[in-house]
Amino acid sequence: MAEAAQQPVVFLTEGTKRTRGRDAQRINILIAKAVANAVKSTLGPKGMDKMIVDDLGDVTISNDGATILDEMTIDHPAGKMMVEVAKTQDDEVGDGTTTAVVLAGTLLKNAEKLLDDEIHPSIIIKGYRAAATKAKEVMLAAADNVSSKDKKTLRNIALTSMTGKVAESAEALSDLIVDAISAVAEETEGKITIDIDNVKVEKKQGAALTESELIQGIILDKEIVHSGMPKKVKNAKIALLDVALEIKSPETDAKIEITSPDQLQAFVDQEEAMLRKMVETIKKSGANFVVCQKGIDDLAQHFLAKEGIAAVRRVKQSDMKALARATQGKIVSRINDLTAADLGNAAVVGEKKIAGDEMVFVEGCKNPKSVSVLVRGGSEHIVDEVERAVHDALMSVADALKDGKIVSGGGSIEEEVAVKLREFAQTIGGKEQLAIEAFADTLEEIPRTLAETAGMDPLDTIVNLRAKHKAKDGKHIGVDVFKQKISNMKEANVIEPLSVKIQAVTSGAEVAEMVLRIDDIIAGSSKGKGTEMPQGSGMPPGGMGGMGM
Ligand code: ADP
Ligand code: MG
């Protein structure tokens, strides 16, 4: 199989092509396995990194499943379905993307064996569904509770999510992450809601990770546009504009004929008057700080500075939205519409020098549930990867708090489910039993892969794990990749949210079912851009097949 996986699969050719029945299934499964193989070796703290080089030569180095799949160009529809698994996992729970993709790929790999034994896809699907339902029951039964007061456990959840991705000072970052989530969490009648959009992650290279900090408010990677403007504004009234403070330059084909110096002067005067009027409108609204999504003309900057109004320009749309939420201001798209009611509020807006660059800090916002995590790191690649790890950890802590349920990691929960599923399969019998057992085998792929990344013997590890889980009180036994032995992962503080594990099984099973249902692939070439792609570009040979699933 490893050999076949290395072959680029050229699928879309000129003219319409049709593949049916087992051939269609075989191709789809092959692709799904290849995609899963591409991320499998990154699993866990000892997982390897991938380097992805795009057409322009930009390099991304990552250990994060969702990021790797996002950066790869995958053209085959079955491959795209696998990318969707990662996206769904990322959207729903934010962590466990590699796990979800590996589960989906392995479910399909194991289904292939059943298909080879002439078991009909519909029976496999039925067995997989029953197994997925049972798996969730088992996980829920094995889960422990966690409360918002249990900072130590929350910290361990953040740590588990980041281990292997953040080399140093992960401990300090974990505290920061727990503080950030605690700051935005709301508890009403014992139910915790968390709007993760209230936590903004901003990154800046050029300092040690330990310099990372939590800011009560929003950070903009921008500087105040004009040196004559105040560098710090207290009791800020903020105008949020998504319109340029500029006079539109004439369209390319429009001509303005200027025949005399007077006319030129009149033209310049008129522009100046228009800019002055814009600034007057802003001043009249009561604003003392302008955040503009577009450009600000030099002259407008000068007028603003004269009025003592500070401004930043070309602010990202996502930052505009975050600011609107935090300061409770309204984004205005016509200057003339700007009134006092549209202005956002913050205690202080000011510029600070971070690693030689100016950044604008909007602190003491009207909405106190608005915080930023400023991620620091030595180089661009490091801050990028730390930012991703922080995202996963923030989501994990939020997930755990939201439903208050946690499980132990290191493959322990997966092995627990595998053992219980095999017992369950016995009660079902027939061919469906085989599918449920295949599902159990699939879950064991997680501890097996962790063992592999740690250089342990995968077979021995699984045999020992099974024995422990069949015995009493073995549910927390998993693969300790650092000590290279199986041990109690709860005691090792390797803890994950239940919802991450449930979502991984759910989305993995869903995509496996989707792929298994397909028995006909019809590819048209007249529309779509499929034919423009270089042959096999979505599947670089060796890039994916090397790991032999
Ligand atoms: P994913 O994208 O699925 O979250 P990760 O690369 O983050 O992939 O790896 C997560 C897996 O690593 C989980 O199964 C988790 O339990 C495991 N893990 C995390 N820390 C440890 C540890 N210290 N020892 C063993 N396994 C760990
Ligand atoms: Mg993870």
Side-chain angles (χ1 to χ4, degrees), residues 121-144:
S122 64
I123 295 184
I124 304 175
I125 289 169
K126 194 160 167 241
Y128 276 8
R129 278 195 184 175
T133 308
K134 184 74 188 173
K136 286 175 218 166
E137 276 172 39
V138 175
M139 286 195 261
L140 187 61
D144 288 318

Side-chain angles (χ1 to χ4, degrees), residues 54-99:
D54 72 10
D55 310 352
L56 300 171
D58 283 343
V59 176
T60 306
I61 298 170
S62 183
N63 176 292
D64 181 66
T67 307
I68 296 164
L69 293 179
D70 203 40
E71 297 282 334
M72 291 193 324
T73 9
I74 297 175
D75 294 319
H76 193 278
K80 288 194 170 140
M81 283 158 91
M82 294 293 281
V83 176
E84 280 305 309
V85 179
K87 286 224 176 80
T88 309
Q89 184 75 18
D90 209 32
D91 292 346
E92 296 289 326
V93 287
D95 197 5
T97 45
T98 310
T99 305

Side-chain angles (χ1 to χ4, degrees), residues 479-521:
V479 179
D480 190 326
V481 294
F482 294 111
K483 298 206 175 110
Q484 292 181 298
K485 60 175 189 151
I486 63 169
S487 58
N488 187 314
M489 298 317 282
K490 188 180 176 185
E491 283 166 15
N493 293 324
V494 177
I495 297 167
E496 293 179 274
L498 171 69
S499 55
V500 168
K501 294 297 177 187
I502 289 196
Q503 183 63 44
V505 166
T506 309
S507 41
E510 271 171 12
V511 79
E513 174 172 343
M514 231 150 59
V515 171
L516 285 173
R517 279 191 189 286
I518 299 167
D519 77 339
D520 200 350
I521 310 173

Side-chain angles (χ1 to χ4, degrees), residues 345-362:
N345 289 280
V348 194
V349 181
E351 199 178 69
K352 287 183 197 170
K353 216 182 193 89
I354 304 285
D357 282 338
E358 311 293 349
M359 291 181 103
V360 169
F361 286 64
V362 183

Side-chain angles (χ1 to χ4, degrees), residues 64 95-97 160-162 165 392 396 496:
D64 181 66
D95 197 5
T97 45
T160 300
S161 176
M162 288 192 294
K165 313 202 167 178
D392 286 8
S396 280
E496 293 179 274

